[in-house]
Amino acid sequence: MMNNKMERALPLQKKAIWKKLQNHKIRLEKTDIIDLFNKNPKRFDEFSIQQGEFLLDYSKNRIDKKAFDSLIELAESCHLPAWMDKMKAGHNINHTERRSVFHIALRAPADEVMETEGRNVIPEIHEELDKMETFVKQVHSGEWVGYTGKKIIKVINIGIGGSDLGPYLTTQSLRPYWIEDIELHFVSNLDGAQLALTLEGMDPETTLFIVASKSFATLETIYEASTAREWFLEKAEDNEHIKHHFVAISSNVEKATEFGIAPENIFRMWDWVGGRYSLWSSIGLSIALQIGMDNFRQILAGAHAMDKHFFEADFHHNIPVILAMLGVWYRNFFNYDTHAILPYDSLLHLLPSYLQQLDMESNGKQLKRNGATARYATGPIIWGETGSNGQHAFFQFLHQSETVVPVDFIASINTHYPLRDHQSLLFSNLIAQSEALMKGRNLDEVLENLSPDSPDYDHQQLIARYRTFPGNSPSNTLLIDKLTPYNFGSLLAMYEHKVFVQGVIWNINSFDQWGVELGKELASQLQRDLLHGEHMEDHDPSTTGLLKHYMKVSD
Ligand code: F6P
């Protein structure tokens, strides 16, 4: 008989609990979610959780109590508590980059002690926050002026991936908190069109550039920043003026200085902040400029509250753990490949893109921590769109295709923009979709509603099958009282921890991203070849053909 310790040391698919879950899946495969409700009138209470201003309803999932308990047992069997302790204790859990993963420290209060590499990092984090605060106040008050003495009114954040998506999503989501005399833009794409269009009509005298790059080595960011510098100097002429218009956020102070950023204009970040986990650091400078430092601190406080919940709540009542384990359930036992994020809140329109990076750059991997290939599925494809827009685009697929897609519906109950009955209509649509996905509609129900007196009766009978829905599609619904900076911080921290938990179950390192390297290396070689018209034949025939065509057609 195997004891607990031995069971825990086994590879994922060899664990008894894994086999137990496979049996639960077989048992539940033929069960409709609606029947689980019929059998258990308390199902909503048992499979929903309220935490702060969040209500998570996960009752519309293909689980029952036994399967759910087994999922939690799997989390324990995969040493989740120990991994959480390691994260909290600042251990190098990002082993391939020899770094700790300590974004949780960025949102901890000033009186906490959080150590990594033998150092309490909280004082330096708060020092940097204070530096941000001073800068933000100077810009807002007009104390910080451009080289001709004019107030800064436009800010352009140049960055990509985590140095763009987090701040971009945050400022879009918190539109009601904007400080209106600052106009903020984001430039991320290498495509010159984005920068050219952003600069159109801007005045170098009143524009501030934030060059946001942890490494200060990302091709897109550095190239765009140098184009921006050129544009600026065309009018300002003197390099001395750069210090009034360019600030940087980086852990690579040397490179930022080399670029020409004044040392006092460099906001620090640390190696232990992953790019996609960085909006809580000085990468959030654009956020603070747009919504004020107090609101930025509220975002941190909300994230910290979710951290506390994650580290302290037992797994049966732990929102990130529950979401993560349901994801594992569908990915590994039902073999569902994708997961949709459907915010019924247009302010959250960038959430699916943000979560694509967070989830897919973290868990889109097949090598386990020991370097061996995981012979099971890992992170799903994340996609989505706001409701109700999505209803008129891909919901057809969600309802009637053969492919099942688990979804997260997200809504804030109290809107910042009350307008007639828009909010209740929007909410009714969300609920209608989750209900329809679960219940579906069978042929009898369609036929029952046909009236033989209708002139169209024959045709309606003929097409009755097209109006059936298989149903039994799982969904989570997260309702937030209101989309405040605090709740927004909690929301993102919730997904961060979900992704971390899944990485632990799959035994992968969620915090590196080696998969982005090869393309970067090839691109820089190809760029040299294109510029010099060399080595065209050194590639595969397709690549050679494309390069030659580009050379032929480009002006
Ligand atoms: O896409 C790879 C990546 O390293 C992301 O993880 C990161 O968010 C992005 O590039 C930008 O990196 P940096 O902030 O160093 O410019």
Side-chain angles (χ1 to χ4, degrees), residues 86-189:
K86 282 186 199 172
M87 177 185 260
K88 226 171 24 170
H91 289 193
N92 281 7
I93 59 176
N94 177 357
H95 71 298
T96 58
E97 295 182 321
R98 293 199 212 115
R99 286 176 190 159
S100 59
V101 175
F102 222 28
H103 48 274
I104 50 171
L106 297 168
R107 49 231 194 183
D111 57 359
E112 266 191 36
V113 174
M114 294 191 72
E115 291 187 357
T116 182
E117 284 161 6
R119 217 178 62 243
N120 176 19
V121 293
I122 298 296
E124 37 191 304
I125 289 171
H126 283 264
E127 215 173 276
E128 215 51 33
L129 283 170
D130 293 344
K131 180 175 168 178
M132 282 169 74
E133 177 145 22
T134 307
F135 176 74
V136 167
K137 282 190 175 148
Q138 284 174 340
V139 172
H140 286 164
S141 67
E143 192 186 324
W144 180 290
V145 287
Y147 72 99
T148 55
K150 288 190 184 161
K151 192 174 187 295
I152 297 296
I153 51 171
K154 307 215 173 171
V155 177
I156 303 180
N157 186 86
I158 302 180
I160 197 162
S163 301
D164 166 72
L165 282 166
Y168 193 17
L169 161 72
T170 306
T171 49
Q172 289 289 302
S173 305
L174 298 176
R175 175 74 179 82
Y177 300 86
W178 280 11
I179 288 166
E180 292 296 347
D181 51 3
I182 287 286
E183 191 184 298
L184 176 65
H185 297 264
F186 288 87
V187 170
S188 54
N189 202 297

Side-chain angles (χ1 to χ4, degrees), residues 344-411:
Y344 272 63
D345 186 330
S346 56
L347 293 179
L348 291 172
H349 69 102
L350 289 174
L351 187 64
S353 316
Y354 171 83
L355 292 180
Q356 269 175 347
Q357 188 202 12
L358 178 66
D359 203 317
M360 294 169 80
E361 203 173 67
S362 296
N363 288 341
K365 295 166 187 168
Q366 51 177 297
L367 294 188
K368 295 191 285 188
R369 285 190 160 269
N370 63 5
T373 304
R375 303 203 181 280
Y376 42 80
T378 56
I381 296 164
I382 301 291
W383 62 288
E385 169 62 277
T386 49
S388 57
N389 291 10
Q391 288 174 208
H392 299 273
F394 54 80
F395 273 49
Q396 161 67 40
F397 180 99
L398 295 184
H399 286 291
Q400 285 190 323
S401 92
E402 246 188 328
T403 306
V404 178
V405 182
V407 309
D408 286 358
F409 289 105
I410 301 161

Side-chain angles (χ1 to χ4, degrees), residues 17 28 55 68 85 134 146 151 162 171 173 191 210 223 238 267-268 277 324 348 362 404 452 464 497 520 547 549:
I17 187 64
L28 285 166
L55 170 77
F68 181 67
D85 286 347
T134 307
K151 192 174 187 295
T171 49
S173 305
D191 179 355
I210 302 175
Y223 200 72
D238 191 343
F267 293 84
R268 269 201 313 161
Y277 301 87
L348 291 172
S362 296
V404 178
H497 293 314
K520 283 189 197 170
L547 288 170
H549 184 75

Side-chain angles (χ1 to χ4, degrees), residues 160-163 213-215 218 275-276 357 361 513 516:
I160 197 162
S163 301
S213 176
K214 179 185 169 187
S215 59
T218 303
R276 52 194 175 276
Q357 188 202 12
E361 203 173 67
Q513 55 285 316
V516 302

Side-chain angles (χ1 to χ4, degrees), residues 268-479:
R268 269 201 313 161
M269 58 189 291
W270 299 267
D271 255 2
W272 41 259
V273 185
R276 52 194 175 276
Y277 301 87
S278 66
L279 75 98
W280 325 98
S281 72
S282 44
I283 288 288
L285 188 64
S286 53
I287 304 173
L289 280 167
Q290 183 74 94
I291 63 170
M293 197 63 195
D294 289 348
N295 282 323
F296 183 68
R297 288 187 192 272
Q298 277 295 303
I299 298 174
L300 300 183
H304 180 67
M306 184 53 72
D307 295 341
K308 270 178 82 71
H309 167 73
F310 174 58
F311 287 108
E312 289 169 13
D314 77 87
F315 288 173
H316 279 87
H317 303 96
N318 190 315
I319 294 182
V321 174
I322 293 170
L323 291 175
M325 298 317 293
L326 287 168
V328 169
W329 178 233
Y330 292 128
R331 191 75 182 103
N332 298 110
F333 298 94
F334 284 80
N335 299 320
Y336 299 156
D337 292 329
T338 86
H339 185 97
I341 304 292
L342 307 175
Y344 272 63
D345 186 330
S346 56
L347 293 179
L348 291 172
H349 69 102
L350 289 174
L351 187 64
S353 316
Y354 171 83
L355 292 180
Q356 269 175 347
Q357 188 202 12
L358 178 66
D359 203 317
M360 294 169 80
E361 203 173 67
S362 296
N363 288 341
K365 295 166 187 168
Q366 51 177 297
L367 294 188
K368 295 191 285 188
R369 285 190 160 269
N370 63 5
T373 304
R375 303 203 181 280
Y376 42 80
T378 56
I381 296 164
I382 301 291
W383 62 288
E385 169 62 277
T386 49
S388 57
N389 291 10
Q391 288 174 208
H392 299 273
F394 54 80
F395 273 49
Q396 161 67 40
F397 180 99
L398 295 184
H399 286 291
Q400 285 190 323
S401 92
E402 246 188 328
T403 306
V404 178
V405 182
V407 309
D408 286 358
F409 289 105
I410 301 161
S412 45
I413 295 179
N414 296 297
T415 175
H416 289 278
Y417 302 100
L419 194 61
R420 297 180 64 224
D421 287 331
H422 280 264
Q423 189 63 3
S424 58
L425 266 168
L426 181 69
F427 186 65
S428 312
N429 268 273
L430 180 160
I431 299 300
Q433 292 300 328
S434 78
E435 203 173 14
L437 281 171
M438 174 181 71
K439 282 188 176 165
R441 182 164 63 191
N442 63 32
L443 192 57
D444 290 344
E445 287 168 310
V446 177
L447 293 174
E448 256 167 41
N449 284 319
L450 294 186
S451 156
D453 303 334
S454 153
D456 206 22
Y457 184 63
D458 289 348
H459 180 66
Q460 290 304 328
Q461 267 196 321
L462 217 63
I463 64 160
R465 284 206 67 213
Y466 293 95
R467 303 182 63 195
T468 62
F469 291 72
N472 214 19
S473 263
S475 67
N476 298 310
T477 300
L478 178 70
L479 300 182

